[in-house]
Structures are given as structure tokens and as C-alpha cells.
Amino acid sequence: SASIMNPGTVFYEGMNPSATGYLGEAPRVVKEVERTLPGPDALHGAYRAVAEAALGHPVSPAEANRYWTARAVAYASSHPGAAARLVLRKALLAAHSHESWDLATLERRDRQLARWPWLPFGALAALAAVGALRRRRFPSTLPLVAVALVGLATMVVFYVSSRQRCAAVPVLAVL
């Protein structure tokens, strides 16, 4: 597959009745199936297995992604108020300073780096917004603003974690 991730399953993790906005929330049945599968890619296999059971035939990763995307869209369509609140919450969390790591290895690295002085992500985002507003004086900042907005929008579409925010740090720092 040309895709480097499973966007349908990740979209569902960020847009479902149990989603909080921070981190992805997989359905309980997927977590139960994941525990029975071997290997490092057990979660993706579990998502495919649940989709296969629901659809009644073997599915490709692309078809599993379509299945989980349709489930997320169905939730948002049938509960528009809850979905809108969740999207707004993710937009606010994307610029927030709370660290929410979805990988234990990155959380350990964060603790190791904690002894160094740092600027909270929320402060960096606010300073970058000020820099973006000053773009009339510096027209070359417009592409940086676009890259920063794409990074933040990605978190709003999927879910917010400190790992996803790592990609936005360099652009926000330049702004």
C-alpha cells in the first residue's frame, strides 16, 4: 500500500462515541481481538479482523480503512452536536500544553529531556500566532502558516497527541 498509515482506523479512533480528543480510542472488540494476535502489527490486524467479521468476507487494508471511515462518518452524521463538540475540543487541545503521549518510548524520552528548559507548546503556539499575524511585514511567512495549519488540522481530523504535535514544533518555532 502506498499509505504509510491506516487513516480509516485512525480517523475512527478520533471520531467515535468514546473519543476524548486526546489519543485514539479503539473499540473494545478491537482491543480484545488485538490481545489474541501475535506481532507488532496486531492492532491493524485486529481492525481488519473486526471489519471482516462485520462485512462477512476477507478485506484488504484499504477496504478495512473504508469500513472504519464509514463508521466514523456515520457516528458524526447521527450525532452532529457531539461530533461538533469533539472537533472543537480537538481544535483547542491541538494548541494546548498538556502532554499526552501515545507511545511509551516517547514518554520516556520526554521525561529524560524534562531537565532542560523548555517552552510549553501552548506558549509556542500563541507566539507563532502572533508571528503569523505579522505576515504583512514578512510575506514569506505565508507558506509557514500553511504548513502549521495543516499540521494542526491533521490533529483535529484524527486525534491530538504529543507525538503528532512534535511535527508542528519546528514550523511554530520559526513563526
Side-chain angles (χ1 to χ4, degrees), residues 13 19-25 86 89-90 92-94 96-100 159-162 165:
E13 287 178 351
T20 64
Y22 271 135
L23 306 177
E25 188 58 45
L86 180 58
R89 178 174 166 75
K90 289 190 283 186
L92 293 172
L93 293 174
H96 196 269
S97 289
H98 174 74
E99 296 296 338
S100 186
Y159 58 82
V160 179
S161 80
S162 298
R165 284 197 303 217

Side-chain angles (χ1 to χ4, degrees), residues 93-165:
L93 293 174
H96 196 269
S97 289
H98 174 74
E99 296 296 338
S100 186
W101 293 101
D102 56 348
L103 295 178
T105 54
L106 292 174
E107 186 175 7
R108 282 193 302 272
R109 176 65 62 189
D110 188 51
R111 280 194 307 261
Q112 290 172 342
L113 294 172
R115 63 179 169 244
W116 297 93
W118 57 278
L119 184 64
F121 188 85
L124 179 64
L127 291 171
V130 170
L133 292 173
R134 295 179 46 114
R135 67 180 170 85
R136 285 192 201 145
R137 286 189 59 196
F138 306 101
S140 60
T141 61
L142 195 55
L144 293 172
V145 170
V147 170
L149 290 176
V150 166
L152 296 174
T154 300
M155 289 183 275
V156 172
V157 169
F158 297 106
Y159 58 82
V160 179
S161 80
S162 298
R163 178 172 52 122
Q164 277 83 8
R165 284 197 303 217

Side-chain angles (χ1 to χ4, degrees), residues 7-125:
T9 60
V10 178
F11 179 52
Y12 182 79
E13 287 178 351
M15 182 60 70
N16 68 68
S18 301
T20 64
Y22 271 135
L23 306 177
E25 188 58 45
R28 189 176 348 175
V29 66
V30 170
K31 292 177 188 177
E32 290 172 5
V33 171
E34 178 188 19
R35 285 192 290 271
T36 68
L37 298 177
D41 198 28
L43 181 62
H44 297 130
Y47 270 110
R48 275 193 306 278
V50 170
E52 287 176 354
L55 296 173
H57 60 83
V59 299
S60 66
E63 190 174 1
N65 278 311
R66 286 191 299 275
Y67 171 81
W68 289 104
T69 297
R71 298 265 328 237
V73 170
Y75 165 70
S77 298
S78 63
H79 299 88
R85 284 189 297 277
L86 180 58
V87 168
L88 180 59
R89 178 174 166 75
K90 289 190 283 186
L92 293 172
L93 293 174
H96 196 269
S97 289
H98 174 74
E99 296 296 338
S100 186
W101 293 101
D102 56 348
L103 295 178
T105 54
L106 292 174
E107 186 175 7
R108 282 193 302 272
R109 176 65 62 189
D110 188 51
R111 280 194 307 261
Q112 290 172 342
L113 294 172
R115 63 179 169 244
W116 297 93
W118 57 278
L119 184 64
F121 188 85
L124 179 64

